[in-house]
Structure formats: structure tokens, C-alpha cells
Amino acid sequence: MSTDSPAPRHVPVMLERCLDALAPAISAPGAVVVDATLGLGGHSEALLTRFPDVRLIAVDRDPQALELSARRLAPFGDRATLVHAVYDEIPRVLDESGVPEVHGVLFDLGVSSMQLDEADRGFAYAQDAPLDMRMDQTRGISAAEVLNTYSHGDLARILKVYGEERFAGKIASAVLREREREPFTTSARLVELVRNAIPAATRRTGGNPAKRTFQALRIEVNGELEVLDRAIPGALDALAVGGRIVVMSYQSLEDRLVKQYLQAGATSTAPPGLPVIPEELQPWLKLLTRGAELATEEEIEENRRAAPVRLRVAERIRRTRR
């Protein structure tokens, strides 16, 4: 990609809410904040602008996103450190940066605007494109390879678990039948296959019937849930006392995982009825949202990608033994 092409217009999801949630933790001089999902850098740019003393460490697995964000954040100089890494590698990134603890962490999960808008990435089911779906195109297997090589059982499993697809078995059977005729390479053929495999009554509701299949393939290709399962504990472990974590999820599997970790940290592990609770059994997180917050109608009207978002915020209230 040419280095002088402008960055695409990017509307960060729930930007003001994220900044307000992090503000009490990162307003003091010397504060360090991690943007675990840099993307096109909209949240990072706003953080660096709003909080002039903050230092940013941002990671992304997508080299193209890093290239675009590096230009966007160049005016902030050495206040911004950008690293090509997956967000479960945050502990290593912090260690290599000489940062023992941080004061804020932001996760904006799911597919970035750039990845959805770039047709040749294959994330969007509304346009024909190569079936890739890798967030980092320098490594791993593509969605086409999954479709063309996985067994019926494995395909049905990921469609059912990751896509919450009721007709996973029927779709998997159709994929195996069709790939014998010709391997899958582009998205339009898969969209048509899913449409034909699902009963007509179901096709009439719930949007594009291929949505769940595409979600499942994307999660499988990028190992998203396994990565998140490592990333949230790693990020929480890096938080200083008084530090805050903000996580925006876009589908129920992600949000459920995030909720479990935050609630576990905010819950006493003492046996019931214990008259005095030792400090090591007391909660070490405080939940700052009641359940998951949703985007406002006004924000959804301005940015349709905010519609499914679920935002959770927590603060570290005491140290724990590492």
C-alpha cells in the first residue's frame, strides 16, 4: 500500500464513554494506557489528545492497520509505541517496553472497520471476495482452507459453537458436497450455499443467513476466543491499583468470556459465613458498569457498527500475589 494514501474515515465506537471510563485512572502524569486493538487508531488518537501526559502502548496483529495508524499517530512522537502483536502478547510487549504496570487498558474486539471495508480481506458477506478472513495475512490458514480441508464434524462444531448456527450440520454437509465439485475460493459461493441450506422460513428473518457462518469462520481462522481467554487475564494482571479496563464486545461469546473474568475478580473467594475475610480472599476488582452498557440510539444512528456493542468497565482495587 502506498504510504501517502489517506487513512479511511473511521468513527470509533462509544468513544466518549471509553474516554470518560478511563479518565480517572489515566489523567495523572506518567500514566500508561494500552490500546489492545489499535485498528485505525481512532481511540488511541483521542486518548493521546485528551490526556496530554499519557503514554500509549498499542498493539495490533494487522500490519496494514499498524501502517495506517502509525501515520495517524505520528504527531504524538514517542508518546505512542506501536507493536505488531496479538493482544494475548501484551505481557511480553510490556516487559520488552520496560513497563511493569499500566493504568488503563482498552479492548475494542471483533473486526476493525478497515478489515470490513477492504473487500479483498473476505470478512464481509455482502460482497464477493477471496475467502481469507485472517486479521494478520502474514500467518495462519485462510477461511477457504478451513472450508476445503476440515472434516464434517469439525466444520459443524465451529459453525454451531462459534456461529451459534442451528443448521450447522446441514451447512457442513453442503460444504463437503460442494467442495468435491470445486474448492471454495470466494465468498459469494459460500453465501449462496448457506442460503440454500437453511429453510426458507428461517431465511426471511434475522438478516443475512450467512452472517453466523462468516462469524464462525472468522473466529476459527483468527483463534479469537482462545486468544481472548489468555488476553483478559494478562491485561488484568498488568493493571496497577486504581487502573481501569474497558472492553467492548460485539457478540455473545466474547462478552460472556469477558463477563466471567471480571465477575470472578469482583467476587470474594471466602467460604460463606466467615466472620473476618482475609485480604487475599477479598475481591480485587470493582465492576463499574451494571451488566453491559449499550450504545445510545444517537450513536447507532451515526455509526451502525455500534449497534451490537456491549461495554464493560472494571477497576483494580487491590494488589494480588503474582
Side-chain angles (χ1 to χ4, degrees):
M1 172 178 289
S2 170
T3 55
D4 40 325
S5 61
R9 181 177 178 270
H10 173 47
V11 181
V13 173
M14 295 186 79
L15 178 60
E16 290 302 318
R17 181 65 183 98
C18 291
L19 297 177
D20 290 345
L22 289 168
I26 66 173
S27 298
V32 179
V33 63
V34 171
D35 187 340
T37 46
L38 176 62
L40 288 175
H43 288 99
S44 282
E45 182 181 44
L47 284 164
L48 290 163
T49 302
R50 177 80 60 90
F51 306 101
D53 294 318
V54 82
R55 177 188 174 191
L56 171 80
I57 297 176
V59 304
D60 204 291
R61 63 167 68 181
D62 189 332
Q64 189 177 6
L66 285 166
E67 180 186 349
L68 291 168
S69 291
R71 298 204 300 274
R72 184 174 192 164
L73 303 180
F76 299 100
D78 60 6
R79 289 179 58 208
T81 300
L82 277 53
V83 182
H84 181 215
V86 188
Y87 43 72
D88 64 340
E89 299 176 289
I90 286 172
R92 174 185 63 78
V93 171
L94 293 177
D95 184 58
E96 292 176 356
S97 302
V99 176
E101 60 184 15
V102 301
H103 306 86
V105 182
L106 172 65
F107 284 87
D108 184 10
L109 301 172
V111 190
S112 76
S113 299
M114 180 201 69
Q115 290 162 343
L116 282 170
D117 292 338
E118 292 283 333
D120 63 355
R121 305 297 292 271
F123 287 101
Y125 43 79
Q127 50 192 337
D128 195 18
L131 277 167
D132 193 317
M133 298 193 197
R134 290 174 296 168
M135 294 178 180
D136 181 352
Q137 292 183 303
T138 67
R139 66 181 78 174
I141 66 170
S142 68
E145 290 175 88
V146 171
L147 289 168
N148 292 324
T149 64
Y150 275 31
S151 68
H152 180 279
D154 284 340
L155 272 177
R157 174 184 55 80
I158 67 170
L159 292 175
K160 182 176 181 179
V161 175
Y162 296 160
E164 299 176 287
E165 173 57 71
R166 285 189 295 154
F167 303 102
K170 293 187 68 174
I171 295 171
S173 295
V175 167
L176 263 66
R177 183 173 61 250
E178 285 298 306
R179 79 186 189 191
E180 287 299 314
R181 185 171 64 84
E182 182 183 351
F184 284 88
T185 58
T186 59
S187 56
R189 183 174 168 223
L190 177 61
V191 170
E192 185 66 19
L193 177 147
V194 172
R195 191 184 307 275
N196 292 335
I198 289 176
T202 304
R203 294 200 300 265
R204 290 193 284 268
T205 60
N208 193 309
K211 178 180 179 179
R212 292 177 295 275
T213 293
F214 273 63
Q215 173 181 298
L217 288 170
R218 190 201 80 215
I219 291 172
E220 173 70 10
V221 165
N222 296 289
E224 291 178 39
L225 293 178
E226 294 90 340
V227 170
L228 185 62
D229 198 20
R230 296 187 294 269
I232 296 299
L236 289 171
D237 193 49
L239 273 184
V241 174
R244 293 187 172 191
I245 184 170
V246 177
V247 185
M248 289 183 286
S249 306
Y250 294 82
Q251 42 100 345
S252 60
L253 299 172
E254 292 174 339
D255 184 55
R256 194 177 307 143
L257 192 57
V258 173
K259 174 184 176 181
Q260 288 171 353
Y261 277 114
L262 298 188
Q263 285 192 335
T267 303
S268 170
T269 56
L274 204 64
V276 177
I277 300 178
E279 182 182 5
E280 64 269 19
L281 302 182
Q282 295 174 11
W284 54 276
L285 283 180
K286 178 182 179 182
L287 303 182
L288 300 179
T289 47
R290 300 186 71 176
E293 290 187 10
L294 311 180
T296 63
E297 290 183 9
E298 293 78 12
E299 174 154 18
I300 294 171
E301 188 174 331
E302 177 188 359
N303 182 7
R304 60 184 176 82
R305 287 174 183 161
V309 72
R310 301 291 184 269
L311 179 142
R312 296 181 186 270
V313 185
E315 178 179 320
R316 189 182 194 111
I317 55 175
R318 71 172 180 87
R319 298 189 184 280
T320 53
R321 294 177 182 175
R322 297 190 180 188

